[in-house]
C-alpha cells in the first residue's frame, strides 16, 4: 500500500478570485481601523497596505488582468485600466499610485518592527487606505454592472 498524498486542485474563475480578494480587503480594512483605535501604529500601517493591495488586485482579477506578485501595484493597475478603456481622472490615478507606493515601502519595516511608526504615520496610512477603498468600491460597482 502506497502512502501517496492526493491533492485536490480547485479551479477558480477570475470573478470568484476577485470576490475573495475584495472580501479579504474589507476584513483587513476593519482590522487596520481597529489597530489604529488601539494605538497599534505599525499594525495599522501593515493592514492598511494589505487592504490597498488586495482591493487593487481584486479589481484586476475582476477585469481579467493577471497582476505581478509584487506589493506596490498602483501604477500597474492604472495603466491596465487605461488599456481597458477605464481611464481614471489624473488626480485619482496619481493618488492611488502615491498611496500604493508609500504603503508598500512601509510594509516590511512596519511588520518586522524595523521602524516604530508614529500616530501621524498611521493616520496617513489609514487615510490613504480609506481613499483607495472608496475608489475601489465605486469601481467594483461599475465593473460588476458591466459583467
Amino acid at each position: 500500500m502506497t502512502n501517496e498524498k492526493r491533492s485536490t486542485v480547485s479551479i477558480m474563475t477570475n470573478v470568484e478570485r476577485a470576490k475573495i480578494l475584495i472580501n479579504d480587503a474589507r476584513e483587513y480594512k476593519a482590522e487596520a481601523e481597529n489597530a489604529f483605535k488601539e494605538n497599534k501604529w505599525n499594525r495599522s500601517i501593515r493592514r492598511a497596505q494589505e487592504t490597498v493591495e488586495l482591493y487593487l488586485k481584486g479589481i484586476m482579477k475582476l477585469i481579467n488582468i493577471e497582476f505581478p506578485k509584487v506589493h506596490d501595484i498602483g501604477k500597474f493597475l492604472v495603466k491596465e485600466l487605461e488599456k481597458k478603456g477605464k481611464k481614471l481622472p489624473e488626480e485619482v490615478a496619481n493618488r492611488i499610485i502615491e498611496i500604493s507606493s508609500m504603503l508598500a515601502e512601509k510594509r516590511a519595516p512596519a511588520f518586522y518592527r524595523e521602524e516604530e511608526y508614529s500616530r501621524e504615520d498611521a493616520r496617513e496610512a489609514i487615510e490613504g487606505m480609506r481613499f483607495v477603498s472608496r475608489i475601489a468600491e465605486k469601481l467594483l460597482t461599475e465593473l460588476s454592472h458591466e459583467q
Side-chain angles (χ1 to χ4, degrees):
M1 188 145 119
T2 63
N3 200 9
E4 284 183 35
K5 290 184 182 180
R6 293 213 167 161
S7 163
T8 7
V9 176
S10 173
I11 305 298
M12 213 180 288
T13 67
N14 279 343
V15 172
E16 291 167 332
R17 189 169 308 264
K19 286 179 183 177
I20 290 168
L21 292 170
I22 297 304
N23 285 336
D24 284 350
R26 290 172 180 147
E27 285 179 30
Y28 287 9
K29 181 177 184 260
E31 290 176 19
E33 298 279 3
N34 287 334
F36 187 79
K37 287 176 192 166
E38 294 171 4
N39 302 326
K40 296 177 180 174
W41 314 134
N42 282 39
R43 186 175 302 165
S44 63
I45 289 169
R46 171 66 183 228
R47 284 297 190 228
Q49 186 281 325
E50 292 168 326
T51 300
V52 167
E53 181 178 339
L54 290 173
Y55 263 121
L56 300 182
K57 288 179 176 179
I59 289 167
M60 285 188 270
K61 274 294 177 190
L62 190 62
I63 56 177
N64 299 311
I65 296 171
E66 285 303 317
F67 50 80
K69 306 295 190 268
V70 297
H71 301 299
D72 183 2
I73 205 77
K75 191 179 286 187
F76 184 82
L77 169 77
V78 168
K79 285 180 182 175
E80 291 300 314
L81 282 174
E82 203 169 308
K83 287 180 190 174
K84 297 264 186 182
K86 288 279 175 204
K87 185 168 172 48
L88 296 171
E90 189 174 346
E91 178 182 306
V92 171
N94 288 340
R95 186 82 174 110
I96 288 172
I97 291 168
E98 176 188 315
I99 291 165
S100 177
S101 179
M102 178 266 294
L103 289 174
E105 191 176 301
K106 292 181 178 180
R107 180 183 199 275
F111 184 69
Y112 295 111
R113 308 302 285 222
E114 293 164 352
E115 254 187 76
E116 289 302 317
Y117 288 104
S118 68
R119 181 181 201 288
E120 181 56 30
D121 295 323
R123 185 195 57 73
E124 180 184 20
I126 294 293
E127 286 178 2
M129 175 195 72
R130 289 173 181 157
F131 176 83
V132 171
S133 302
R134 281 191 305 275
I135 300 301
E137 290 290 351
K138 183 179 174 199
L139 263 173
L140 288 165
T141 301
E142 291 171 14
L143 295 169
S144 294
H145 288 112
E146 293 175 10
Q147 297 286 323

